[in-house]
Amino acid sequence: MSTIAKDDFREWERKRTTTLVSTIVIIAGVAVLVQKPAQAPAQKPIRVYTQQAPSTVQMQAVLDTAAGAASILDRDFMQETFLTTAGAAAVLDSEVMVELPAEAVQAADVEESEYANLAIANVDNYVNVRSAPNTDSEIVGKMYDGSVAQILSTAGDADEWFQVVSGNVEGYIKAEYFIYGDAAAAVADHYVTRYIEVQADRLNVREEPDLSSGRIGYIDHGERAKLIEWGDEWCKVRYADAQEGYVASEYVAVIEEFIYAKSVEEEAAEQAALQELQARTQASEEAAPERMVISAAPPQTNYASVSALRNAVVDYAMQYLGNRYVHGGQSLASGTDCSGFTCYVYQAFGYQLSRTPQGQYTSAGQSIDMAQIQPGDVICYSSNGSSCTHVGLYIGNGQIIHAANSRKGVIISNYDYDGVILGVRSIVE
């Protein structure tokens, strides 16, 4: 522990740019001044200044013995309270600075941005995920450009490494390869990947958007291909490794998702699947006719009323109360983020919502006034007053269920819990 002289300490305090919240407590005769930034960075230590009695004490303050009240020192932002027995106490002139973990101090519950720990890979192709924060450690996976991750901690002498989790991969990547924090929140909408998911038993992929065009291959029910361009009759997709082709739009559903890191094993399996897909280009035209029976089960529609459907949506969402929050997550069961939560809840009922908050704000259902809100509607919030940065599902009685952030997971909050309400979207008409 290092000692700081009082005058030097006061000068150091004046130069600080962060507003401090300060409290003195006395434990076993030791006055402890706890200082915490009003908005402390995650996982940073909190400095604690202790005042310990030397053998000779110089009195700095005398308290009112009748009231037993503490004097206020010359720093107007600091509140200091002293335990007195005979109605008197002293401020001691020996100050020692120590560091305690943030968890050791109980702080007010400040709403955490769900993007606080979001990171997006910003690389030419991919960056290796390593088992330890150094370039000599084992490669456990790859993060391709645009992959999203959740920052768990920092490492290295200068915090130059991030410990991240992305999909099934956990490891270390240098921070320089990421867009993160507020910068990541501002561009998150641009890193959503759109896929088509085949709803038919088998769907041909053609060279041109025409039934008479030659066939490149086919995609089976439930399989996906990256969507390049959507059309009412035909959509252009990425087929196999580097081929592009067209499929009939009426037989596909469009899915929006973030992409994750890939483990060594996952990448090997994906390469094998691509090779199998490439082999389909050798299949004959007759083996996969263009018209086929749709085998995908349609969403349930036998609700007695729109109100009953709305309640069913809310009941379905409530099953996932308490589940974890995962940036870019693709499953209600294993975890997802705010827009993923509303997207996948409605997907279970046959509705296709955008995968991002801004996308849901601009395109999901129809816009309604707050006075018209009903259970099942999506409330759109903004942390910056302009773009949509968060969404929640209204459940009635002035409350929403939402994937709040990585600390809280899926919770219930008052509809006006935080941020600016940009609007309300009614999905069920």
Side-chain angles (χ1 to χ4, degrees):
M1 296 189 294
S2 60
T3 302
I4 301 178
K6 178 174 289 294
D7 290 342
D8 291 339
F9 170 68
R10 289 177 176 172
E11 179 63 20
W12 178 80
E13 283 290 328
R14 281 194 290 269
K15 292 180 179 179
R16 285 173 62 91
T17 58
T18 304
T19 300
L20 300 179
V21 177
S22 310
T23 303
I24 283 188
V25 296
I26 294 185
I27 303 173
V30 177
V32 180
L33 169 59
V34 179
Q35 294 188 330
K36 180 179 184 300
Q39 292 182 344
Q43 299 177 328
K44 294 295 184 183
I46 292 176
R47 285 185 169 83
V48 176
Y49 299 92
T50 66
Q51 297 177 313
Q52 298 176 334
S55 56
T56 301
V57 176
Q58 178 183 359
M59 182 73 71
Q60 291 185 340
V62 178
L63 305 183
D64 184 344
T65 58
S71 66
I72 304 300
L73 297 187
D74 59 347
R75 291 189 294 276
D76 59 0
F77 62 87
M78 193 179 297
Q79 292 184 345
E80 303 183 353
T81 304
F82 302 90
L83 181 64
T84 64
T85 55
V91 179
L92 307 180
D93 63 358
S94 175
E95 298 183 345
V96 181
M97 183 176 74
V98 297
E99 300 232 348
L100 293 179
E103 293 78 11
V105 180
Q106 294 294 326
D109 184 18
V110 179
E111 189 62 37
E112 175 192 89
S113 166
E114 68 169 293
Y115 296 103
N117 300 317
L118 172 65
I120 302 174
N122 184 27
V123 294
D124 291 336
N125 186 8
Y126 69 85
V127 60
N128 289 324
V129 185
R130 296 187 177 274
S131 60
N134 61 72
T135 54
D136 296 327
S137 58
E138 179 188 4
I139 296 173
V140 296
K142 293 179 180 178
M143 280 199 73
Y144 286 86
D145 185 48
S147 299
V148 299
Q150 188 166 309
I151 303 171
L152 301 178
S153 66
T154 58
D157 294 337
D159 289 338
E160 72 272 23
W161 289 84
F162 282 165
Q163 181 188 14
V164 300
V165 58
S166 178
N168 297 318
V169 181
E170 183 175 331
Y172 295 84
I173 301 177
K174 281 196 170 182
E176 64 188 86
Y177 295 116
F178 287 111
I179 303 169
Y180 54 93
D182 291 339
V187 298
D189 285 359
H190 303 304
Y191 287 91
V192 173
T193 302
R194 301 174 77 203
Y195 301 90
I196 58 98
E197 184 173 274
V198 174
Q199 306 294 295
D201 288 333
R202 178 166 289 179
L203 186 61
N204 288 327
V205 182
R206 298 195 175 273
E207 294 175 349
E208 300 294 337
D210 192 284
L211 286 176
S212 61
S213 177
R215 187 175 63 84
I216 298 172
Y218 61 87
I219 308 175
D220 283 333
H221 175 261
E223 291 182 338
R224 295 183 179 185
K226 186 175 180 180
L227 177 63
I228 298 174
E229 184 179 342
W230 173 262
D232 291 337
E233 295 186 7
W234 297 88
C235 52
K236 190 176 185 179
V237 299
R238 178 69 51 80
Y239 181 75
D241 192 10
Q243 280 186 300
E244 296 177 355
Y246 295 85
V247 296
S249 300
E250 63 180 304
Y251 297 115
V252 303
V254 178
I255 307 295
E256 289 184 344
E257 287 183 352
F258 290 103
I259 59 174
Y260 279 144
K262 298 172 184 176
S263 67
V264 173
E265 296 77 14
E266 287 171 333
E267 185 153 62
E270 185 177 272
Q271 289 300 318
L274 283 174
Q275 291 176 4
E276 194 277 332
L277 194 63
Q278 188 67 37
R280 294 179 185 178
T281 61
Q282 309 302 320
S284 66
E285 179 77 19
E286 291 75 18
E290 178 65 28
R291 298 299 178 184
M292 68 293 290
V293 176
I294 302 296
S295 60
Q300 183 179 353
T301 57
N302 59 337
Y303 294 98
S305 64
V306 171
S307 177
L309 174 55
R310 287 178 174 276
N311 291 333
V313 170
V314 170
D315 290 344
Y316 181 74
M318 291 293 288
Q319 297 180 82
Y320 300 98
L321 183 63
N323 281 25
R324 68 190 186 118
Y325 176 102
V326 177
H327 284 301
Q330 300 172 6
S331 166
L332 292 169
S334 59
T336 187
D337 49 32
C338 71
S339 54
F341 186 78
T342 50
C343 173
Y344 297 135
V345 164
Y346 267 107
Q347 191 177 95
F349 292 84
Y351 293 87
Q352 298 296 326
L353 273 61
S354 171
R355 186 55 185 78
T356 67
Q358 181 67 15
Q360 292 184 17
Y361 172 59
T362 58
S363 65
Q366 60 180 343
S367 177
I368 62 171
D369 293 334
M370 193 69 196
Q372 300 173 294
I373 195 168
Q374 298 181 65
D377 291 338
V378 174
I379 302 181
C380 303
Y381 301 86
S382 176
S383 60
N384 56 29
S386 57
S387 61
C388 183
T389 57
H390 190 74
V391 292
L393 187 73
Y394 187 69
I395 60 175
N397 297 319
Q399 294 182 313
I400 60 169
I401 183 171
H402 61 139
N405 53 51
S406 57
R407 182 166 58 89
K408 294 183 177 180
V410 179
I411 61 172
I412 292 175
S413 303
N414 291 333
Y415 81 94
D416 57 353
Y417 79 105
D418 190 49
V420 175
I421 296 178
L422 288 180
V424 180
R425 307 296 299 193
S426 176
I427 313 303
V428 178
E429 297 179 358

